Short mmCIF file of all heavy atoms in Angstrom, two decimals:
data_model
loop_
_atom_site.label_atom_id
_atom_site.label_comp_id
_atom_site.label_asym_id
_atom_site.label_seq_id
_atom_site.Cartn_x
_atom_site.Cartn_y
_atom_site.Cartn_z
N VAL A 216 137.65 99.55 91.96
CA VAL A 216 136.66 98.88 91.02
C VAL A 216 137.43 98.46 89.77
O VAL A 216 137.24 97.35 89.18
CB VAL A 216 135.42 99.76 90.74
CG1 VAL A 216 134.63 99.11 89.58
CG2 VAL A 216 134.62 99.81 91.98
N GLY A 217 138.25 99.36 89.19
CA GLY A 217 138.99 99.12 87.91
C GLY A 217 139.94 97.89 88.01
O GLY A 217 140.17 97.32 86.98
N ALA A 218 140.38 97.67 89.18
CA ALA A 218 141.25 96.43 89.39
C ALA A 218 140.55 95.16 88.98
O ALA A 218 141.17 94.15 88.67
CB ALA A 218 141.73 96.47 90.77
N LEU A 219 139.21 95.16 89.08
CA LEU A 219 138.42 93.93 88.73
C LEU A 219 138.66 93.57 87.31
O LEU A 219 138.54 92.42 86.92
CB LEU A 219 136.98 94.13 88.95
CG LEU A 219 136.54 94.32 90.51
CD1 LEU A 219 135.10 94.70 90.61
CD2 LEU A 219 136.83 92.95 91.29
N ASP A 220 138.93 94.56 86.39
CA ASP A 220 139.14 94.21 85.00
C ASP A 220 140.30 93.39 84.75
O ASP A 220 140.43 93.01 83.59
CB ASP A 220 139.18 95.61 84.30
CG ASP A 220 137.84 96.30 84.14
OD1 ASP A 220 136.82 95.69 84.40
OD2 ASP A 220 137.92 97.60 84.15
N ALA A 221 141.11 93.13 85.74
CA ALA A 221 142.21 92.06 85.53
C ALA A 221 141.61 90.80 85.06
O ALA A 221 142.28 90.10 84.28
CB ALA A 221 142.93 91.97 86.84
N PHE A 222 140.39 90.50 85.55
CA PHE A 222 139.79 89.20 85.11
C PHE A 222 138.92 89.28 83.87
O PHE A 222 138.28 88.36 83.48
CB PHE A 222 138.87 88.75 86.29
CG PHE A 222 139.68 87.95 87.28
CD1 PHE A 222 139.22 87.79 88.65
CD2 PHE A 222 140.97 87.33 87.04
CE1 PHE A 222 139.95 87.04 89.62
CE2 PHE A 222 141.71 86.82 87.99
CZ PHE A 222 141.16 86.58 89.29
N ILE A 223 138.88 90.57 83.28
CA ILE A 223 138.15 90.70 82.03
C ILE A 223 139.04 90.70 80.82
O ILE A 223 139.00 89.94 79.90
CB ILE A 223 137.24 92.05 82.15
CG1 ILE A 223 136.41 92.02 83.34
CG2 ILE A 223 136.40 92.11 80.91
CD1 ILE A 223 135.47 90.80 83.49
N ASP A 224 139.95 91.68 80.74
CA ASP A 224 140.87 91.77 79.63
C ASP A 224 142.26 92.20 80.07
O ASP A 224 142.92 92.98 79.39
CB ASP A 224 140.33 92.81 78.55
CG ASP A 224 140.04 94.21 79.22
OD1 ASP A 224 140.21 94.33 80.46
OD2 ASP A 224 139.63 95.13 78.50
N GLY A 225 142.62 91.80 81.27
CA GLY A 225 143.92 92.14 81.82
C GLY A 225 145.09 91.33 81.22
O GLY A 225 144.98 90.36 80.51
N GLY A 226 146.30 91.71 81.55
CA GLY A 226 147.58 91.06 81.16
C GLY A 226 148.06 90.28 82.39
O GLY A 226 147.70 90.45 83.56
N GLU A 227 148.97 89.32 82.03
CA GLU A 227 149.49 88.44 83.10
C GLU A 227 151.07 88.46 83.07
O GLU A 227 151.71 88.78 82.11
CB GLU A 227 149.23 87.00 82.75
CG GLU A 227 147.74 86.68 83.08
CD GLU A 227 147.42 85.18 82.96
OE1 GLU A 227 148.36 84.35 82.42
OE2 GLU A 227 146.31 84.74 83.15
N ARG A 228 151.59 88.31 84.26
CA ARG A 228 153.05 88.11 84.53
C ARG A 228 153.26 87.25 85.80
O ARG A 228 152.38 87.12 86.60
CB ARG A 228 153.88 89.40 84.53
CG ARG A 228 153.52 90.28 85.76
CD ARG A 228 154.26 91.59 85.53
NE ARG A 228 154.04 92.54 86.63
CZ ARG A 228 154.72 92.88 87.60
NH1 ARG A 228 155.92 92.29 87.69
NH2 ARG A 228 154.46 93.76 88.55
N TYR A 229 154.47 86.67 85.93
CA TYR A 229 154.78 85.91 87.01
C TYR A 229 155.65 86.68 88.06
O TYR A 229 156.55 87.34 87.57
CB TYR A 229 155.46 84.55 86.63
CG TYR A 229 154.42 83.51 86.27
CD1 TYR A 229 153.95 83.59 84.87
CD2 TYR A 229 153.90 82.51 87.11
CE1 TYR A 229 153.08 82.59 84.50
CE2 TYR A 229 153.10 81.65 86.62
CZ TYR A 229 152.53 81.58 85.38
OH TYR A 229 151.69 80.72 84.89
N VAL A 230 155.42 86.51 89.34
CA VAL A 230 156.08 87.22 90.33
C VAL A 230 156.58 86.33 91.37
O VAL A 230 156.04 85.10 91.43
CB VAL A 230 155.47 88.45 90.98
CG1 VAL A 230 155.00 89.56 89.92
CG2 VAL A 230 154.20 88.00 91.69
N ASP A 231 157.53 86.75 92.25
CA ASP A 231 158.01 85.85 93.36
C ASP A 231 157.14 85.87 94.55
O ASP A 231 156.38 86.82 94.80
CB ASP A 231 159.51 86.28 93.69
CG ASP A 231 160.29 86.35 92.55
OD1 ASP A 231 160.17 85.62 91.54
OD2 ASP A 231 161.32 87.07 92.60
N LEU A 232 157.34 84.94 95.44
CA LEU A 232 156.72 84.98 96.78
C LEU A 232 157.87 84.71 97.81
O LEU A 232 158.79 83.98 97.49
CB LEU A 232 155.67 83.94 96.97
CG LEU A 232 154.35 84.11 96.15
CD1 LEU A 232 153.43 82.88 96.22
CD2 LEU A 232 153.67 85.34 96.58
N GLY A 233 157.63 85.32 98.95
CA GLY A 233 158.60 85.05 100.08
C GLY A 233 158.07 83.99 101.02
O GLY A 233 156.80 83.81 101.04
N GLU A 234 158.96 83.39 101.77
CA GLU A 234 158.43 82.32 102.65
C GLU A 234 159.34 82.35 103.87
O GLU A 234 160.54 82.42 103.79
CB GLU A 234 158.45 81.02 101.99
CG GLU A 234 157.85 79.76 102.74
CD GLU A 234 158.02 78.44 101.94
OE1 GLU A 234 157.22 78.39 100.95
OE2 GLU A 234 158.79 77.63 102.34
N VAL A 235 158.68 82.14 105.13
CA VAL A 235 159.51 82.07 106.33
C VAL A 235 158.83 80.86 107.08
O VAL A 235 157.67 80.82 107.44
CB VAL A 235 159.45 83.34 107.13
CG1 VAL A 235 158.06 83.80 107.48
CG2 VAL A 235 160.22 83.10 108.50
N ASN A 236 159.66 79.82 107.28
CA ASN A 236 159.15 78.55 107.99
C ASN A 236 157.81 78.05 107.42
O ASN A 236 156.95 77.67 108.10
CB ASN A 236 159.00 78.86 109.50
CG ASN A 236 160.33 78.96 110.15
OD1 ASN A 236 161.44 79.18 109.47
ND2 ASN A 236 160.36 78.83 111.48
N GLY A 237 157.81 78.17 106.07
CA GLY A 237 156.62 77.56 105.38
C GLY A 237 155.38 78.52 105.23
O GLY A 237 154.42 78.20 104.54
N ARG A 238 155.51 79.63 105.93
CA ARG A 238 154.43 80.66 105.72
C ARG A 238 154.80 81.70 104.56
O ARG A 238 155.86 82.32 104.73
CB ARG A 238 154.19 81.33 107.05
CG ARG A 238 153.13 82.49 106.86
CD ARG A 238 152.57 82.95 108.20
NE ARG A 238 151.74 84.09 108.04
CZ ARG A 238 150.85 84.51 108.98
NH1 ARG A 238 150.67 83.74 110.16
NH2 ARG A 238 150.13 85.57 108.79
N VAL A 239 153.86 81.90 103.73
CA VAL A 239 154.16 82.85 102.60
C VAL A 239 153.94 84.27 102.98
O VAL A 239 152.97 84.59 103.84
CB VAL A 239 153.17 82.47 101.43
CG1 VAL A 239 153.18 83.62 100.33
CG2 VAL A 239 153.63 81.18 100.81
N PHE A 240 154.80 85.12 102.47
CA PHE A 240 154.57 86.55 102.66
C PHE A 240 154.76 87.30 101.16
O PHE A 240 155.65 86.87 100.43
CB PHE A 240 155.44 87.22 103.69
CG PHE A 240 156.95 87.01 103.44
CD1 PHE A 240 157.67 88.06 102.81
CD2 PHE A 240 157.58 85.98 103.95
CE1 PHE A 240 159.01 88.01 102.68
CE2 PHE A 240 158.97 85.77 103.74
CZ PHE A 240 159.73 86.76 103.14
N VAL A 241 154.02 88.35 101.02
CA VAL A 241 154.08 89.03 99.70
C VAL A 241 155.00 90.29 99.77
O VAL A 241 155.46 90.68 98.83
CB VAL A 241 152.69 89.46 99.07
CG1 VAL A 241 152.00 88.15 98.80
CG2 VAL A 241 151.97 90.20 100.07
N ASN A 242 155.04 90.85 100.93
CA ASN A 242 155.85 92.08 101.22
C ASN A 242 157.07 91.86 101.97
O ASN A 242 158.14 91.79 101.40
CB ASN A 242 154.92 93.20 101.82
CG ASN A 242 153.81 93.63 101.00
OD1 ASN A 242 153.92 93.67 99.73
ND2 ASN A 242 152.67 94.04 101.48
N ASN A 243 156.92 91.85 103.27
CA ASN A 243 158.15 91.65 104.13
C ASN A 243 157.79 91.12 105.51
O ASN A 243 156.67 91.04 105.90
CB ASN A 243 158.73 93.12 104.24
CG ASN A 243 157.85 94.13 104.84
OD1 ASN A 243 157.35 93.97 106.02
ND2 ASN A 243 157.56 95.12 104.09
N VAL A 244 158.88 90.72 106.16
CA VAL A 244 158.83 90.27 107.63
C VAL A 244 159.71 91.16 108.47
O VAL A 244 160.89 91.32 108.03
CB VAL A 244 159.29 88.88 107.68
CG1 VAL A 244 159.30 88.36 109.15
CG2 VAL A 244 158.46 87.85 106.85
N SER A 245 159.16 91.72 109.48
CA SER A 245 159.99 92.66 110.31
C SER A 245 160.32 91.83 111.60
O SER A 245 159.47 91.12 112.22
CB SER A 245 159.20 93.93 110.66
OG SER A 245 158.02 93.56 111.43
N LEU A 246 161.56 92.08 112.12
CA LEU A 246 162.03 91.42 113.32
C LEU A 246 162.64 92.55 114.15
O LEU A 246 163.22 93.44 113.64
CB LEU A 246 163.16 90.36 113.09
CG LEU A 246 162.77 89.23 112.07
CD1 LEU A 246 163.07 89.58 110.53
CD2 LEU A 246 163.58 87.91 112.54
N GLY A 247 162.53 92.32 115.49
CA GLY A 247 163.23 93.36 116.36
C GLY A 247 162.13 94.21 117.06
O GLY A 247 161.13 93.74 117.42
N VAL A 248 162.36 95.51 117.30
CA VAL A 248 161.58 96.43 118.13
C VAL A 248 160.17 96.44 117.60
O VAL A 248 159.23 96.26 118.38
CB VAL A 248 162.22 97.76 118.20
CG1 VAL A 248 161.21 98.82 118.99
CG2 VAL A 248 163.58 97.70 118.99
N TYR A 249 159.89 96.79 116.28
CA TYR A 249 158.58 96.86 115.84
C TYR A 249 157.85 95.57 115.96
O TYR A 249 156.68 95.61 116.44
CB TYR A 249 158.66 97.35 114.40
CG TYR A 249 157.29 97.44 113.76
CD1 TYR A 249 156.41 98.41 114.06
CD2 TYR A 249 156.91 96.46 112.84
CE1 TYR A 249 155.12 98.47 113.46
CE2 TYR A 249 155.57 96.49 112.33
CZ TYR A 249 154.75 97.49 112.53
OH TYR A 249 153.49 97.61 111.99
N ALA A 250 158.40 94.48 115.64
CA ALA A 250 157.74 93.13 115.78
C ALA A 250 157.45 92.87 117.30
O ALA A 250 156.30 92.34 117.52
CB ALA A 250 158.59 92.08 115.20
N GLU A 251 158.38 93.20 118.15
CA GLU A 251 157.97 93.03 119.50
C GLU A 251 156.88 93.95 119.99
O GLU A 251 156.02 93.35 120.80
CB GLU A 251 159.36 93.58 120.41
CG GLU A 251 160.47 92.65 120.29
CD GLU A 251 160.49 91.49 121.27
OE1 GLU A 251 159.56 91.42 121.97
OE2 GLU A 251 161.57 90.72 121.28
N ALA A 252 156.74 95.13 119.55
CA ALA A 252 155.58 95.93 119.84
C ALA A 252 154.18 95.42 119.41
O ALA A 252 153.25 95.35 120.09
CB ALA A 252 155.84 97.39 119.36
N VAL A 253 154.21 95.13 118.07
CA VAL A 253 152.92 94.71 117.44
C VAL A 253 152.47 93.37 118.00
O VAL A 253 151.32 93.01 117.89
CB VAL A 253 153.01 94.61 115.96
CG1 VAL A 253 153.33 96.00 115.41
CG2 VAL A 253 154.06 93.58 115.47
N SER A 254 153.43 92.52 118.60
CA SER A 254 153.01 91.26 119.08
C SER A 254 152.39 91.38 120.45
O SER A 254 151.74 90.39 120.97
CB SER A 254 154.32 90.36 119.29
OG SER A 254 155.09 90.94 120.18
N GLN A 255 152.26 92.63 121.09
CA GLN A 255 151.68 92.79 122.42
C GLN A 255 150.26 93.15 122.24
O GLN A 255 149.87 93.86 121.34
CB GLN A 255 152.39 93.88 123.12
CG GLN A 255 153.92 93.63 123.32
CD GLN A 255 154.60 94.78 124.09
OE1 GLN A 255 154.04 95.34 125.06
NE2 GLN A 255 155.77 95.08 123.60
N GLU A 256 149.39 92.58 123.13
CA GLU A 256 147.95 92.75 123.05
C GLU A 256 147.56 94.15 123.09
O GLU A 256 146.54 94.63 122.39
CB GLU A 256 147.22 91.95 124.13
CG GLU A 256 147.33 90.46 123.96
CD GLU A 256 146.54 89.70 125.04
OE1 GLU A 256 145.89 90.34 125.82
OE2 GLU A 256 146.71 88.44 125.01
N ARG A 257 148.18 95.06 123.91
CA ARG A 257 147.83 96.41 124.09
C ARG A 257 148.20 97.28 122.91
O ARG A 257 147.84 98.41 122.83
CB ARG A 257 148.49 96.96 125.30
CG ARG A 257 149.99 96.98 125.35
CD ARG A 257 150.52 97.62 126.69
NE ARG A 257 151.97 97.65 126.67
CZ ARG A 257 152.74 96.72 127.18
NH1 ARG A 257 152.16 95.52 127.58
NH2 ARG A 257 154.07 96.84 127.11
N TYR A 258 148.92 96.82 121.92
CA TYR A 258 149.42 97.56 120.77
C TYR A 258 148.16 98.07 120.02
O TYR A 258 148.11 99.12 119.43
CB TYR A 258 150.26 96.71 119.83
CG TYR A 258 150.68 97.50 118.57
CD1 TYR A 258 151.69 98.35 118.66
CD2 TYR A 258 150.12 97.30 117.33
CE1 TYR A 258 152.10 99.17 117.55
CE2 TYR A 258 150.47 97.95 116.23
CZ TYR A 258 151.57 98.87 116.30
OH TYR A 258 151.91 99.61 115.22
N ARG A 259 147.07 97.33 119.76
CA ARG A 259 145.86 97.69 118.99
C ARG A 259 145.23 98.93 119.62
O ARG A 259 144.77 99.86 118.84
CB ARG A 259 144.83 96.50 118.93
CG ARG A 259 145.37 95.27 118.22
CD ARG A 259 145.76 95.65 116.75
NE ARG A 259 146.18 94.45 116.00
CZ ARG A 259 146.51 94.40 114.77
NH1 ARG A 259 146.53 95.53 114.12
NH2 ARG A 259 147.01 93.36 114.23
N GLU A 260 145.14 98.95 120.96
CA GLU A 260 144.42 99.98 121.64
C GLU A 260 145.38 101.27 121.86
O GLU A 260 144.89 102.40 121.91
CB GLU A 260 143.83 99.61 123.04
CG GLU A 260 142.68 98.62 122.86
CD GLU A 260 143.23 97.14 122.43
OE1 GLU A 260 144.42 96.84 122.77
OE2 GLU A 260 142.48 96.47 121.76
N SER A 261 146.70 100.99 121.96
CA SER A 261 147.59 102.16 122.34
C SER A 261 148.90 101.91 121.58
O SER A 261 149.92 101.54 122.11
CB SER A 261 147.81 102.07 123.83
OG SER A 261 148.66 103.09 124.30
N LYS A 262 148.84 102.28 120.37
CA LYS A 262 150.01 101.99 119.38
C LYS A 262 151.28 102.71 119.75
O LYS A 262 152.36 102.17 119.92
CB LYS A 262 149.57 102.14 117.96
CG LYS A 262 148.62 101.26 117.46
CD LYS A 262 148.36 101.45 115.90
CE LYS A 262 147.22 100.50 115.52
NZ LYS A 262 146.96 100.66 114.03
N LEU A 263 151.21 104.07 119.83
CA LEU A 263 152.38 104.81 120.06
C LEU A 263 152.99 104.57 121.39
O LEU A 263 154.25 104.37 121.51
CB LEU A 263 152.11 106.29 119.86
CG LEU A 263 153.31 107.28 119.97
CD1 LEU A 263 154.35 106.85 118.95
CD2 LEU A 263 152.86 108.76 119.73
N PRO A 264 152.26 104.66 122.54
CA PRO A 264 152.78 104.37 123.84
C PRO A 264 153.42 102.99 123.86
O PRO A 264 154.54 102.80 124.45
CB PRO A 264 151.72 104.53 124.75
CG PRO A 264 150.75 105.37 124.16
CD PRO A 264 150.81 105.12 122.67
N THR A 265 152.79 101.93 123.36
CA THR A 265 153.30 100.60 123.37
C THR A 265 154.76 100.58 122.51
O THR A 265 155.68 99.96 122.94
CB THR A 265 152.49 99.68 122.74
OG1 THR A 265 151.13 99.63 123.38
CG2 THR A 265 152.94 98.27 122.68
N LEU A 266 154.69 101.23 121.45
CA LEU A 266 155.96 101.20 120.54
C LEU A 266 157.12 101.93 121.32
O LEU A 266 158.27 101.51 121.41
CB LEU A 266 155.69 101.92 119.23
CG LEU A 266 156.83 101.76 118.21
CD1 LEU A 266 157.33 100.48 117.97
CD2 LEU A 266 156.40 102.65 116.93
N LEU A 267 156.82 103.04 121.98
CA LEU A 267 157.86 103.81 122.69
C LEU A 267 158.33 102.99 123.83
O LEU A 267 159.51 102.96 124.10
CB LEU A 267 157.26 105.19 123.11
CG LEU A 267 156.94 106.16 122.03
CD1 LEU A 267 156.22 107.41 122.67
CD2 LEU A 267 158.24 106.60 121.41
N ASN A 268 157.39 102.44 124.65
CA ASN A 268 157.78 101.63 125.80
C ASN A 268 158.66 100.42 125.34
O ASN A 268 159.66 99.99 126.03
CB ASN A 268 156.65 101.16 126.60
CG ASN A 268 155.92 102.31 127.33
OD1 ASN A 268 156.65 103.22 127.58
ND2 ASN A 268 154.79 102.30 127.58
N THR A 269 158.24 99.84 124.27
CA THR A 269 159.06 98.70 123.73
C THR A 269 160.45 99.04 123.28
O THR A 269 161.55 98.34 123.53
CB THR A 269 158.28 98.05 122.53
OG1 THR A 269 157.02 97.61 122.93
CG2 THR A 269 159.04 96.77 122.04
N LEU A 270 160.53 100.23 122.67
CA LEU A 270 161.84 100.80 122.24
C LEU A 270 162.64 100.98 123.56
O LEU A 270 163.89 100.65 123.45
CB LEU A 270 161.69 102.08 121.54
CG LEU A 270 162.88 102.78 120.96
CD1 LEU A 270 163.54 101.95 119.83
CD2 LEU A 270 162.58 104.20 120.44
#
Side-chain angles (χ1 to χ4, degrees):
V216 171
L219 295 171
D220 291 335
F222 278 158
I223 306 303
D224 55 355
E227 286 186 355
R228 66 186 175 106
Y229 280 83
V230 300
D231 308 334
L232 292 174
E234 184 182 293
V235 54
N236 289 15
R238 174 163 174 162
V239 167
F240 60 93
V241 293
N242 292 330
N243 57 64
V244 178
S245 61
L246 304 88
V248 173
Y249 175 73
E251 292 271 3
V253 299
S254 67
Q255 300 178 43
E256 292 185 6
R257 62 179 180 270
Y258 178 79
R259 297 293 180 185
E260 292 74 30
S261 185
K262 294 185 178 181
L263 183 58
T265 301
L266 185 57
L267 290 177
N268 290 333
T269 303
L270 184 67

